Amino acid sequence: MQFDDDADLDTSEVRDVRGSRIPGGRATVGGGIAGVVALILGLLFGVGPDQLGLSSGDSDPGATASSAAQVQQECRTGRDANTKDDCRIVAVVNSVQDYWDQEFTRRDARYATARTVLFTDRISTACGAATSAVGPFYCPGDRQVYLDLGFFDELRTKFGSSGGPFAQAYVVAHEYGHHVQNQMGTLGRTQDGRTGENSNAVKVELQADCYAGVWAHHATTTPDESTGRPLITEVTRADIRDGLDAAASVGDDRIQEKFQGRVTPESWTHGSAAQRQEWFTTGFRSGDMDDCDTFR
């Protein structure tokens, strides 16, 4: 995956609070066994920790800005995105939101932008407090995506994904799929409390995978506001393979087999490896969000 070296990055869409102190509250999920349980329940990729039973303490979404706010200082252009992981996240966020803004406009609707918050270890959100063990998630309460970049190392080392830049892009695009669902009123279907391979929880997650595929289909043709040219200049077949591999590595069946030693479809919340790959592929091949109706 390559970015236009001369494109300007919009860092206002990413808030960097890595190294910040979290005021008040405490996260209920730590490392070790508790973290593994959270991963089994929540990955990949979830909505707010309150829906995983992980929220507690102060729900103030703010954080004390004691970090260096690295992305605002170092991520200026597409050239930076081609050389630095955190700048790549900024560029992907820009591209994903450019696409959805244009798609909503085409449908005579308004897309409301959502920021991605980069954090370290733990974070307090409008959905409650959470640790990195929850994995990347979208909080509908404050309409923000939360991401600890250390997750991408775990995606390879704990879950066996091949990794790569597009695997990271897939994660980000999936979370913004939840933001699209929130604006369209479908995200709330997860609130019925049911689990299982045919549950609404799984259908919502698979639709977000499909929306990620839709963005990927248009990634190299969506014009960037600053240049009028696409911010992403190349997505290769190898990139798509990396995205599909990431999707498969965190299917409910793969996670359960790895951490429980058995597969229990009645407790699925995100879908099987095959389902996740199938729905990403559906969106990628057609490029049409209307083909992402996982509820039919």
Side-chain angles (χ1 to χ4, degrees), residues 110-223:
R110 179 181 174 275
Y111 174 79
T113 59
R115 283 197 299 182
T116 287
V117 180
L118 301 181
F119 72 99
T120 306
D121 297 330
R122 60 184 182 138
I123 190 74
S124 183
T125 80
C127 295
T131 70
S132 300
V134 180
F137 65 91
Y138 171 71
C139 173
D142 55 29
R143 295 191 172 192
Q144 295 189 126
V145 171
Y146 290 87
L147 174 62
D148 185 329
L149 294 180
F151 168 76
F152 295 124
D153 291 330
E154 294 188 347
L155 190 59
R156 290 183 296 102
T157 60
K158 288 187 178 181
F159 298 95
S161 168
S162 59
F166 196 81
Q168 299 174 8
Y170 157 67
V171 173
V172 173
H174 173 101
E175 293 307 330
Y176 276 92
H178 286 314
H179 181 55
V180 170
Q181 291 170 324
N182 193 32
Q183 294 186 71
M184 297 185 69
T186 55
L187 187 60
R189 296 192 183 191
T190 61
Q191 298 295 325
D192 62 10
R194 297 179 181 178
T195 61
E197 55 189 319
N198 295 313
S199 66
N200 282 343
V202 167
K203 292 174 182 178
V204 162
E205 294 299 332
L206 295 178
Q207 187 177 62
D209 281 336
C210 187
Y211 286 165
V214 169
W215 161 75
H217 176 95
H218 296 280
T220 59
T221 59
T222 298

Side-chain angles (χ1 to χ4, degrees), residues 10 12 37 39-40 51 64 101 138-139 152 161-162 181 204 209-210 222 246 253 257 259:
D10 182 0
S12 70
V37 171
L39 289 167
I40 292 172
Q51 294 179 279
T64 303
D101 180 63
Y138 171 71
C139 173
F152 295 124
S161 168
S162 59
Q181 291 170 324
V204 162
D209 281 336
C210 187
T222 298
D253 52 342
E257 181 67 35
F259 293 106

Side-chain angles (χ1 to χ4, degrees), residues 12-266:
S12 70
E13 294 184 351
V14 176
R15 184 182 178 208
D16 187 359
V17 298
R18 289 173 291 176
S20 297
R21 292 183 178 182
I22 308 301
R26 56 184 175 81
T28 60
V29 181
I33 294 175
V36 170
V37 171
L39 289 167
I40 292 172
L41 290 174
L43 285 170
L44 179 76
F45 311 96
V47 290
D50 56 327
Q51 294 179 279
L52 300 176
L54 303 178
S55 61
S56 72
D58 190 351
S59 62
D60 181 356
T64 303
S66 60
S67 73
Q70 192 168 313
V71 297
Q72 280 74 22
Q73 297 178 10
E74 298 186 2
C75 302
R76 305 288 188 178
T77 67
R79 183 175 289 105
D80 299 321
N82 282 322
T83 57
K84 302 172 185 176
D85 285 351
D86 48 5
C87 298
R88 183 185 303 122
I89 298 302
V90 175
V92 171
V93 169
N94 289 172
S95 174
V96 169
Q97 298 212 94
D98 281 345
Y99 169 69
W100 287 116
D101 180 63
Q102 292 166 33
E103 178 62 15
F104 271 53
T105 298
R106 189 180 72 82
R107 294 170 177 263
D108 295 321
R110 179 181 174 275
Y111 174 79
T113 59
R115 283 197 299 182
T116 287
V117 180
L118 301 181
F119 72 99
T120 306
D121 297 330
R122 60 184 182 138
I123 190 74
S124 183
T125 80
C127 295
T131 70
S132 300
V134 180
F137 65 91
Y138 171 71
C139 173
D142 55 29
R143 295 191 172 192
Q144 295 189 126
V145 171
Y146 290 87
L147 174 62
D148 185 329
L149 294 180
F151 168 76
F152 295 124
D153 291 330
E154 294 188 347
L155 190 59
R156 290 183 296 102
T157 60
K158 288 187 178 181
F159 298 95
S161 168
S162 59
F166 196 81
Q168 299 174 8
Y170 157 67
V171 173
V172 173
H174 173 101
E175 293 307 330
Y176 276 92
H178 286 314
H179 181 55
V180 170
Q181 291 170 324
N182 193 32
Q183 294 186 71
M184 297 185 69
T186 55
L187 187 60
R189 296 192 183 191
T190 61
Q191 298 295 325
D192 62 10
R194 297 179 181 178
T195 61
E197 55 189 319
N198 295 313
S199 66
N200 282 343
V202 167
K203 292 174 182 178
V204 162
E205 294 299 332
L206 295 178
Q207 187 177 62
D209 281 336
C210 187
Y211 286 165
V214 169
W215 161 75
H217 176 95
H218 296 280
T220 59
T221 59
T222 298
D224 176 67
E225 282 189 5
S226 67
T227 65
R229 304 187 303 270
L231 176 55
I232 297 178
T233 59
E234 182 181 42
V235 174
T236 67
R237 291 183 179 180
D239 289 327
I240 298 302
R241 285 197 298 269
D242 285 342
L244 287 169
D245 188 66
S249 69
V250 290
D252 280 325
D253 52 342
R254 295 274 184 95
I255 292 175
Q256 289 178 340
E257 181 67 35
K258 186 175 184 64
F259 293 106
Q260 298 179 167
R262 67 188 188 281
V263 176
T264 54
E266 65 273 12

